[in-house]
Short mmCIF file of all heavy atoms in Angstrom, two decimals:
data_model
loop_
_atom_site.label_atom_id
_atom_site.label_comp_id
_atom_site.label_asym_id
_atom_site.label_seq_id
_atom_site.Cartn_x
_atom_site.Cartn_y
_atom_site.Cartn_z
N ALA A 1645 116.65 111.75 83.50
CA ALA A 1645 117.56 110.93 84.32
C ALA A 1645 116.76 109.98 85.20
O ALA A 1645 115.57 110.15 85.43
CB ALA A 1645 118.41 111.83 85.19
N TYR A 1646 117.47 108.96 85.69
CA TYR A 1646 116.89 108.02 86.64
C TYR A 1646 117.50 108.38 87.99
O TYR A 1646 118.73 108.48 88.13
CB TYR A 1646 117.26 106.60 86.23
CG TYR A 1646 116.66 105.53 87.09
CD1 TYR A 1646 115.40 105.00 86.81
CD2 TYR A 1646 117.36 105.03 88.18
CE1 TYR A 1646 114.85 104.00 87.60
CE2 TYR A 1646 116.81 104.04 88.98
CZ TYR A 1646 115.55 103.53 88.69
OH TYR A 1646 115.01 102.55 89.48
N VAL A 1647 116.63 108.60 88.98
CA VAL A 1647 117.13 109.04 90.30
C VAL A 1647 116.82 107.95 91.32
O VAL A 1647 115.69 107.47 91.41
CB VAL A 1647 116.45 110.36 90.71
CG1 VAL A 1647 116.97 110.82 92.08
CG2 VAL A 1647 116.71 111.44 89.66
N THR A 1648 117.83 107.56 92.07
CA THR A 1648 117.62 106.48 93.03
C THR A 1648 118.49 106.69 94.27
O THR A 1648 119.13 107.74 94.42
CB THR A 1648 117.89 105.11 92.36
OG1 THR A 1648 117.44 104.07 93.23
CG2 THR A 1648 119.37 104.90 92.04
N ASN A 1649 118.53 105.72 95.13
CA ASN A 1649 119.33 105.80 96.35
C ASN A 1649 120.11 104.51 96.55
O ASN A 1649 119.69 103.44 96.08
CB ASN A 1649 118.42 106.02 97.57
CG ASN A 1649 117.96 107.45 97.68
OD1 ASN A 1649 118.76 108.36 97.82
ND2 ASN A 1649 116.65 107.65 97.56
N ALA A 1650 121.22 104.62 97.30
CA ALA A 1650 122.02 103.43 97.60
C ALA A 1650 121.23 102.47 98.49
O ALA A 1650 121.29 101.26 98.33
CB ALA A 1650 123.31 103.84 98.30
N VAL A 1651 120.46 103.02 99.42
CA VAL A 1651 119.63 102.21 100.33
C VAL A 1651 118.19 102.62 100.09
O VAL A 1651 117.88 103.80 100.00
CB VAL A 1651 120.06 102.47 101.80
CG1 VAL A 1651 119.11 101.82 102.78
CG2 VAL A 1651 121.48 101.95 102.02
N LYS A 1652 117.31 101.63 99.99
CA LYS A 1652 115.96 101.94 99.51
C LYS A 1652 114.91 102.11 100.62
O LYS A 1652 113.75 102.33 100.33
CB LYS A 1652 115.48 100.81 98.57
CG LYS A 1652 116.45 100.50 97.42
CD LYS A 1652 116.41 101.54 96.33
CE LYS A 1652 117.10 101.11 95.06
NZ LYS A 1652 118.48 101.62 94.93
N HIS A 1653 115.32 101.96 101.87
CA HIS A 1653 114.39 102.23 102.96
C HIS A 1653 114.94 103.35 103.84
O HIS A 1653 116.14 103.48 104.03
CB HIS A 1653 114.19 100.98 103.84
CG HIS A 1653 113.25 99.98 103.27
ND1 HIS A 1653 113.64 98.73 102.86
CD2 HIS A 1653 111.93 100.04 103.03
CE1 HIS A 1653 112.59 98.07 102.40
NE2 HIS A 1653 111.54 98.84 102.50
N PHE A 1654 114.04 104.12 104.40
CA PHE A 1654 114.40 105.23 105.29
C PHE A 1654 114.85 104.65 106.64
O PHE A 1654 114.11 103.92 107.27
CB PHE A 1654 113.17 106.11 105.48
CG PHE A 1654 113.33 107.27 106.43
CD1 PHE A 1654 114.53 107.97 106.52
CD2 PHE A 1654 112.26 107.69 107.21
CE1 PHE A 1654 114.66 109.05 107.39
CE2 PHE A 1654 112.38 108.77 108.07
CZ PHE A 1654 113.57 109.45 108.17
N LYS A 1655 116.06 105.00 107.04
CA LYS A 1655 116.53 104.57 108.36
C LYS A 1655 116.45 105.78 109.29
O LYS A 1655 116.97 106.86 108.95
CB LYS A 1655 117.98 104.07 108.26
CG LYS A 1655 118.53 103.61 109.61
CD LYS A 1655 119.90 103.00 109.45
CE LYS A 1655 120.50 102.62 110.78
NZ LYS A 1655 121.83 102.04 110.65
N PHE A 1656 115.84 105.57 110.42
CA PHE A 1656 115.66 106.72 111.32
C PHE A 1656 115.64 106.26 112.76
O PHE A 1656 115.49 105.08 113.06
CB PHE A 1656 114.34 107.43 111.00
CG PHE A 1656 113.12 106.56 111.21
CD1 PHE A 1656 112.46 106.55 112.44
CD2 PHE A 1656 112.64 105.75 110.20
CE1 PHE A 1656 111.35 105.74 112.64
CE2 PHE A 1656 111.53 104.93 110.40
CZ PHE A 1656 110.88 104.94 111.61
N GLU A 1657 115.78 107.26 113.63
CA GLU A 1657 115.59 107.00 115.05
C GLU A 1657 114.45 107.89 115.51
O GLU A 1657 114.47 109.09 115.26
CB GLU A 1657 116.87 107.36 115.81
CG GLU A 1657 117.86 106.23 115.80
CD GLU A 1657 119.27 106.70 116.06
OE1 GLU A 1657 119.43 107.79 116.64
OE2 GLU A 1657 120.20 105.97 115.66
N PRO A 1658 113.45 107.28 116.17
CA PRO A 1658 112.36 108.12 116.66
C PRO A 1658 112.86 109.02 117.79
O PRO A 1658 113.57 108.55 118.67
CB PRO A 1658 111.33 107.11 117.20
CG PRO A 1658 111.86 105.76 116.92
CD PRO A 1658 113.29 105.87 116.53
N ARG A 1659 112.55 110.30 117.68
CA ARG A 1659 112.91 111.22 118.78
C ARG A 1659 111.71 112.12 119.00
O ARG A 1659 111.38 112.94 118.16
CB ARG A 1659 114.15 112.04 118.40
CG ARG A 1659 114.73 112.69 119.64
CD ARG A 1659 116.14 113.22 119.43
NE ARG A 1659 117.08 112.28 118.85
CZ ARG A 1659 118.12 112.64 118.10
NH1 ARG A 1659 118.33 113.90 117.82
NH2 ARG A 1659 118.94 111.74 117.62
N GLY A 1660 111.06 111.90 120.14
CA GLY A 1660 109.81 112.62 120.39
C GLY A 1660 108.88 112.30 119.24
O GLY A 1660 108.68 111.14 118.91
N LYS A 1661 108.36 113.36 118.62
CA LYS A 1661 107.43 113.13 117.52
C LYS A 1661 108.13 113.06 116.18
O LYS A 1661 107.50 112.94 115.14
CB LYS A 1661 106.40 114.26 117.49
CG LYS A 1661 105.42 114.20 118.63
CD LYS A 1661 104.24 115.08 118.33
CE LYS A 1661 103.04 114.60 119.11
NZ LYS A 1661 101.80 115.10 118.58
N ARG A 1662 109.45 113.20 116.20
CA ARG A 1662 110.15 113.27 114.91
C ARG A 1662 110.91 112.00 114.60
O ARG A 1662 111.24 111.22 115.49
CB ARG A 1662 111.10 114.48 114.93
CG ARG A 1662 110.34 115.76 115.18
CD ARG A 1662 111.26 116.94 115.24
NE ARG A 1662 111.99 117.10 113.97
CZ ARG A 1662 113.21 117.60 113.88
NH1 ARG A 1662 113.83 117.99 114.96
NH2 ARG A 1662 113.80 117.72 112.72
#
Side-chain angles (χ1 to χ4, degrees):
Y1646 183 88
V1647 180
T1648 191
N1649 283 299
V1651 172
K1652 307 285 193 262
H1653 280 115
F1654 177 36
K1655 180 175 177 181
F1656 63 91
E1657 276 158 21
R1659 195 165 309 152
K1661 289 195 156 198
R1662 301 178 60 211

